[in-house]
Amino acid sequence: MALKVPFRNLSKLNKLYYRRVRKKIKSLFEKEIYIWGEEVEAFEKEFAKYCGVEFCIGVGSGLKALTLIFMAYKALGIMKEGDEVIVPANTFIASILAISLNNLVPVLVEPELKTYLIDPESIERNITSKTKAILAVHLYGQTCEMDKIWDLAKAYNLKVIEDAAQAHGAFYKDKKAGALGDVAGFSFYPSKNLGALGDAGAVTTSDPELAKTVRSLANYGSPKPYVFKLRGLNARMDDFQAIILKEKLKDLDTYNEKRRKIAKFYLENLKNPLITVPYVRNWKEHVFHLFVIRCKEREGLKHYLEKKGVKTLIHYPIPPHKQLAYKEWNEKSYPITEEIHQTVLSLPLCPTMSLRQAQYVVKVVNSFST
């Protein structure tokens, strides 16, 4: 009889926190401020300390975090409409939307096939006089090659922005994601390594002027009540999400280690020659938001696993340059990106997975044939 292995089990994970947060949530009903209140402030301080930065601004989503970063750079005169931002072609579309929503120009560059991360050599080939920033996307939980990216940024006077939506707690050498660039945007979407019970995000930085500007822009452009110095957004985090995130932050490193153990078991035991397993640069740095394999017979493998009770997902089936939202790019070719999007398949990986479930996934994947 087939064992059922869900892709993830958020309800099981979140139930572990119910008793720990219910008193705090109940106390919200006795308060007058529910958005950017004392709970958000407390989480911001703890997450800034965790990442190793001076400032954290809790916002409404990961997309809003990245959008606010570019808005702030424009407000500070560091960027202007028509400036270019280099971004990997194989990222989730939110990375690109944040750029184009600010009337900046996303310049797509190829990733490295081995790591799925932005290729520093591709970055340099695409730098022009209009380039103002590199958006380093730490895809699937592994950080980009930040030393090489910083060498380019210093040589060409560019800002380094992290899209850390999938990298909570990930390291590059001795620094955590969120402190590896000039500024970082995080998502706390429920399925993330640090996930809320709804939409939430954050901006982290050690730049005081940038932090001040982001905070103002996230509050309609208002540095104080009813004074609007900038044209901003309503992009604030609410206290309910902050309560959840603050409690979950205590366990983030523990659960990331559980993710590593499952990933290590997969890597040591997946032997099917039809699949390519992920490359791990450094075990201590990777947090395995996703465990992504590649297979030229992806649809057949996905269907086979489904029949055997193993749920998988594709991150992501269509690359940004083939989406109708960016139809002006539809005729462009990014061969490495296209190969990735045509062959990737994410296997189940969740801190609540049992060894028995992981063993079953390995058994089923290894038994697949064409």
Side-chain angles (χ1 to χ4, degrees), residues 284-312:
K284 293 181 180 178
E285 296 178 352
H286 205 316
V287 293
F288 289 98
H289 172 61
L290 297 168
F291 189 92
V292 181
I293 63 172
R294 295 203 318 276
C295 180
K296 292 188 182 298
E297 305 294 335
R298 179 179 69 189
E299 296 308 317
L301 175 59
K302 182 174 173 57
H303 181 67
Y304 178 77
L305 294 175
E306 191 86 30
K307 282 173 56 178
K308 296 290 185 178
V310 177
K311 182 69 175 175
T312 61

Side-chain angles (χ1 to χ4, degrees), residues 41 111 173 208 315 333 355:
E41 184 178 355
K173 297 186 176 179
H315 296 89
S333 176
L355 176 60

Side-chain angles (χ1 to χ4, degrees), residues 127-289:
I127 293 172
T128 73
S129 60
K130 291 185 176 182
T131 307
K132 291 294 183 288
I134 301 166
L135 183 57
V137 182
H138 306 314
L139 201 63
Y140 306 148
Q142 184 161 229
T143 52
C144 299
E145 286 276 8
M146 297 307 296
D147 284 350
K148 293 179 181 179
I149 289 173
W150 267 112
D151 286 345
L152 291 170
K154 290 172 183 175
Y156 293 96
N157 192 28
L158 307 177
K159 293 296 181 184
V160 176
I161 301 163
E162 296 175 77
D163 181 340
Q166 300 184 5
H168 314 74
F171 276 87
Y172 181 77
K173 297 186 176 179
D174 61 343
K175 285 186 176 182
K176 281 195 179 110
L180 299 174
D182 292 293
V183 60
F186 284 89
S187 167
F188 301 125
Y189 185 76
S191 63
K192 304 299 186 184
N193 292 41
L194 180 60
L197 290 185
D199 265 327
V203 174
T204 60
T205 185
S206 289
D207 181 335
E209 194 63 26
L210 183 63
K212 180 181 176 182
T213 307
V214 167
R215 190 172 292 280
S216 178
L217 285 165
N219 189 38
Y220 298 97
S222 172
K224 58 183 181 179
Y226 305 113
V227 175
F228 303 96
K229 292 187 176 181
L230 300 167
R231 298 180 186 182
L233 305 173
N234 174 5
R236 302 163 296 186
M237 180 186 286
D238 66 71
D239 282 47
F240 174 82
Q241 304 302 343
I243 289 171
I244 303 295
L245 292 167
K246 186 170 176 286
E247 196 63 34
K248 283 188 170 185
L249 182 59
K250 297 173 184 177
D251 299 327
L252 178 56
D253 290 342
T254 298
Y255 284 146
N256 280 345
E257 188 56 36
K258 289 185 177 182
R259 289 174 179 273
R260 289 188 192 99
K261 287 180 179 178
I262 297 165
K264 192 167 188 180
F265 179 82
Y266 280 163
L267 283 170
E268 289 174 349
N269 293 280
L270 287 169
K271 304 297 182 182
N272 193 323
L274 295 174
I275 71 166
T276 301
V277 296
Y279 167 79
V280 179
R281 186 180 62 236
N282 184 312
W283 278 99
K284 293 181 180 178
E285 296 178 352
H286 205 316
V287 293
F288 289 98
H289 172 61

